[in-house]
Amino acid sequence: MIKVGICGIAGRMGQRISHLTLEAEELDLGGGVEFPGHPVIGKDIGEVIGIPPKGISVVDTVEAMTDNVDVITAFTAPPDPTVVAAEIAGRAGVPMVIGTTGLSPDQVETMTHALKNVACVFAPNFSVGVTILVQLVEEAARILGGDYDAEIVEAHHRFKTDAPSGTAYALAEAAARGLNRNLQEVGVYGRYGDTGERTREEIGVHAIRAGDIVGEHTIMFGGIGETIELVHRAQSRDTFASGVIRAIPFAAGATPGMYDMRDVLGLK
Ligand code: NAD
């Protein structure tokens, strides 16, 4: 049985990962963390996620649960606590599954360094559909080439604090790879005012925030006389949480290193 510690247990993702962990045959909940002062600190995990008591209290530091867990998941907002969790897990030798988005390149580097001696699955989107979509976008961009303009539109719920989504970046990077371009040079994030004509190289990325949209991504390849669209719609957070449930045993059994969902699905 793999014992799972959930960093951000009271959050939207933390709650769903906890429930699916309890439903999975080979997994069990071993701990939960929230920020110091959060109303759930000291409460039983069962109470926090709406099930009978588990006899485990929510703690306010990752250190307090490392001895009782085999893998730690981190889906936090803001992203900073995920970096702290990685530093603690790395020192304690506990593998991680990380889905937090909005981390700066410096934070990703710090995290990767901190986790160099353990396995970590780190993905901006744990859905199987999006993982496959990223591959399709790269392939489509490669085949279509420079005659088609690549544009990405993503839509998420009003509570999301980072933009564009980590998934939109991943899709833009996939298009850039397929087109043999550097996203840092050709990425255009939103347009406003007298922008001039679109350059042939740019890859546009646009973010919508509205209501309770779980997550939608559209990749458009616009040519002369035709448009191709690849669309992914997440109808519930369980699409991400069930990917996390597949990633947990993978992280528990993998040799140290950084992995993503393509590794988990055997697509590499
Ligand atoms: P949320 O706001 O519902 O939950 C975040 C949780 O983190 C909250 O409970 C918050 O209290 C907790 N937190 C804050 N500081 C903490 C600390 N110091 N220690 C422990 N916990 C702390 O947000 P959410 O919708 O669950 O999303 C969380 C993150 O996951 C975001 O970055 C989001 O973009 C990302 N996300 C990723 C995927 C994916 O598939 N990779 C899917 C959905 C969301």
Side-chain angles (χ1 to χ4, degrees), residues 7-8 10-13 33-35 38 75-78 81 99-101 123-126 160 162 240:
C7 186
R12 285 176 285 258
M13 282 302 293
V33 188
E34 267 296 341
F35 63 80
H38 193 289
F75 286 70
T76 70
T100 301
T101 62
N125 194 310
F126 276 87
K160 186 165 176 62
D162 57 308
F240 313 123

Side-chain angles (χ1 to χ4, degrees), residues 1 3 9 49 100 104 116 122 131 162 164 174 208 226 263:
M1 196 63 101
K3 292 212 160 189
I9 194 164
I49 67 167
T100 301
S104 70
K116 63 182 187 303
F122 175 41
T131 306
D162 57 308
I208 291 165
E226 66 177 355
D263 296 297

Side-chain angles (χ1 to χ4, degrees), residues 20 70 76 78 154 204:
L20 296 194
D70 304 306
T76 70
E154 59 100 333

Side-chain angles (χ1 to χ4, degrees), residues 236-252:
S236 105
R237 280 184 184 81
D238 280 9
T239 182
F240 313 123
S242 52
V244 174
I245 296 305
R246 289 171 81 153
I248 290 168
F250 178 93

